[in-house]
Amino acid sequence: MLEALGVVKIATAAQLRDLTCPGTADAATVRGGCKDLEAGGLVISAGTTSRIENGRRITEKLWSLTPAGLEAAAHALERPVKEMGGTAKAAAASGAKHALKVTETLAAFVQQPVEPTERPVARTRTVPRQAPLRRRPPGLGPLSAWSAEVTLRTGGTFTSPSRGSLRADAVFALPGAQVPLLFLEVDNGTETRAEVADKLDRYARFLARTEKNRLDGGRERPLWRTVWTAPDGGREQPHPPVAIVFTKAMGPEAMDACMRGIADLSAPVWQGDWHFGRMVGEQPDGFRSFQGRVPVVACRLDRLRADGPHGPIWWRFGRKLGGQTLIAALDNEGYYSRHAYQAREAVRRREAEEQAAARKAAADEAREASRWPCPACGKPVYPGEWAADTPGTPCYACGRAEAARQEQEREDALRVAEQEELERQRRQDGWLGWLRT
């Protein structure tokens, strides 16, 4: 329980049970443990909260850590005490409505497996049958991979953030996981769409901050990488994602309108740059690059609690409304990615080459079908060769030879005609004709 309170800072006994030991029959075991820790000066109950259940008001104690408990939790979580934050004593005194929703959301993310507890020793031969344990869907990492109320400085330092900086409701960081880094915002319906969109803008400003790395020759690197580790995706690497979980109960149409409204107001934060490639029919085709953009996904708390963080419950801003798994929603290799566009271009080029080859083969086949043998030498003659348009026309060589022969015959005939004409004139003119010659 120390580790759980070290992460969430404030919780009811029922929430601590859900986070640590959901297999117990009820929260009495956790309450007893909290009282034991309270006696040891590690835990304190600084306030209460109430809720309506089945028409009855139920009041529960809020448990948080003392400074000594915070130090003990830091040791259990293997974190520096300076990174543990505060004890949330003031929030507990005011009812901590938002903090409790964050705790409830983290429990839905973690989905602590339900493990059977030891059966009580029966004093009779009849042992009560234990109810079957409900299987939970896979969670997103262990609770120790989460941190609540994390300051993200858009200016200043981590210890002295500038005005306008924000606090992430929670941060998931687990190097090597499918989702190694995730920022969480819990929306209780108390903020306007513009206020939520402004938070996303401040996330973008924080994630865009850089600093010079002295160990790397003064090269610039993202400031967030000085705190968290995530794979470097290269030139088109987007920023780490932000998940928004809506806890307020509302109808599907109202929820869709709420999410669309926030998406429209925050479009510069998450919308990728469009790169036009070509027109395919009447539709433009190209790809989007998400370098320097913040992927934003959203879901409802009731769906997260029922299906777990890996269920088909997420909507990625900018895509069609509909449930995707978290991995699919955060995947940028979709239809409008650079690689997908290049793959489509390769298919189009291959199809064009195949069509050109088919047209050439058809033309060659038609050409072969329309050939005829040269009447002189027997070689094949194709339509369109020199003047061979009519079947039966000789080939080029034979045609040239025939044309030369006919030309020679014409020249010979002209010479014979000239000689005959001269001879006729001599005979007609008598002895005077000799003088003309």
Side-chain angles (χ1 to χ4, degrees):
M1 284 181 285
L2 279 177
E3 293 93 329
L5 286 173
V7 173
V8 301
K9 301 300 189 296
I10 188 168
T12 65
Q15 288 178 330
L16 288 174
R17 170 180 174 266
D18 199 23
L19 281 167
T20 59
C21 51
T24 54
D26 52 41
T29 303
V30 176
R31 281 193 290 269
C34 287
K35 291 178 180 179
D36 291 341
L37 292 172
E38 184 180 29
L42 301 178
V43 167
I44 187 174
S45 176
T48 60
T49 185
S50 61
R51 56 187 171 87
I52 303 298
E53 185 175 311
N54 297 327
R56 297 174 53 194
R57 179 178 294 277
I58 298 176
T59 301
E60 298 175 282
K61 284 186 176 182
L62 296 176
W63 299 95
S64 60
L65 296 172
T66 64
L70 194 67
E71 186 173 350
H75 179 75
L77 292 169
E78 298 182 350
R79 297 179 184 176
V81 177
K82 62 180 181 180
E83 295 181 4
M84 293 296 293
T87 60
K89 183 178 179 180
S94 61
K97 291 184 178 180
H98 182 73
L100 290 178
K101 284 297 182 182
V102 173
T103 300
E104 189 176 350
T105 303
L106 286 182
F109 264 105
V110 173
Q111 294 285 341
Q112 178 68 24
V114 180
E115 298 177 354
T117 57
E118 186 176 351
R119 294 185 181 183
V121 178
R123 296 182 180 179
T124 65
R125 293 183 179 181
T126 304
V127 179
R129 180 177 296 177
Q130 189 175 16
L133 298 177
R134 182 177 65 87
R135 294 178 61 87
R136 285 187 163 184
L140 186 63
L143 182 61
S144 58
W146 289 88
S147 301
E149 295 296 319
V150 180
T151 301
L152 308 178
R153 58 186 179 98
T154 56
T157 64
F158 279 108
T159 54
S160 300
S162 65
R163 188 173 183 179
S165 297
L166 73 154
R167 282 190 176 185
D169 287 331
V171 177
F172 173 79
L174 187 62
Q178 285 184 300
V179 183
L181 184 61
L182 177 77
F183 297 93
L184 173 64
E185 280 296 314
V186 178
D187 187 290
N188 297 339
T190 58
E191 295 179 314
T192 65
R193 299 173 187 178
E195 288 174 327
V196 178
D198 178 68
K199 277 188 177 181
L200 294 176
D201 180 69
R202 283 184 284 162
Y203 269 105
R205 281 188 283 150
F206 164 72
L207 293 170
R209 291 197 66 183
T210 60
E211 73 164 17
K212 291 184 178 180
N213 186 358
R214 299 176 183 176
L215 301 178
D216 195 16
R219 293 179 60 183
E220 295 281 339
R221 64 172 176 174
L223 181 65
W224 62 267
R225 287 191 178 275
T226 64
V227 181
W228 298 288
T229 301
D232 189 351
R235 184 167 56 89
E236 296 185 14
Q237 172 74 17
H239 290 317
V242 175
I244 305 176
V245 177
F246 295 90
T247 66
K248 184 179 179 180
M250 60 180 76
E253 293 183 359
M255 177 60 70
D256 291 350
C258 178
M259 291 193 293
R260 284 185 183 276
I262 295 172
D264 291 342
L265 292 172
S266 60
V269 172
W270 52 261
Q271 193 171 59
D273 294 322
W274 174 253
H275 302 270
F276 174 75
R278 66 156 74 189
M279 293 296 294
V280 180
E282 298 182 355
Q283 297 296 324
D285 195 11
F287 63 91
R288 289 192 180 276
S289 61
F290 293 91
Q291 180 182 10
R293 299 296 189 269
V294 181
V296 182
V297 294
C299 76
R300 304 197 315 259
L301 178 58
D302 58 342
R303 293 290 308 278
L304 178 64
R305 189 186 299 112
D307 299 332
H310 297 289
I313 62 174
W314 297 98
W315 174 55
R316 168 87 174 260
F317 282 12
R319 295 184 182 173
K320 294 181 179 179
L321 281 173
Q324 286 186 296
T325 64
L326 184 59
I327 302 303
L330 295 179
D331 184 13
N332 291 316
E333 293 301 318
Y335 183 82
Y336 285 114
S337 69
R338 180 192 294 269
H339 293 158
Y341 172 72
Q342 291 173 343
R344 292 195 299 275
E345 277 290 278
V347 170
R348 285 193 282 259
R349 284 194 300 269
R350 184 171 64 254
E351 290 177 347
E353 292 171 357
E354 291 174 352
Q355 292 172 1
R359 288 193 297 269
K360 183 178 183 303
D364 290 344
E365 184 179 354
R367 186 168 179 265
E368 288 293 327
S370 61
R371 71 180 183 176
W372 62 86
C374 174
C377 67
K379 291 182 179 180
V381 183
Y382 296 93
E385 288 186 353
W386 65 291
D389 292 328
T390 304
T393 306
C395 67
Y396 177 76
C398 294
R400 286 291 302 272
E402 178 64 20
R405 186 186 65 78
Q406 293 177 359
E407 182 66 23
Q408 186 63 45
E409 288 180 351
R410 284 194 297 271
E411 291 178 355
D412 292 345
L414 286 174
R415 280 196 299 271
V416 170
E418 288 177 354
Q419 291 296 329
E420 291 177 348
E421 178 65 19
L422 288 173
E423 184 65 26
R424 185 188 66 78
Q425 289 181 357
R426 289 192 190 100
R427 288 196 300 269
Q428 181 181 352
D429 295 339
W431 65 272
L432 290 177
W434 296 101
L435 293 177
R436 286 196 293 271
T437 59

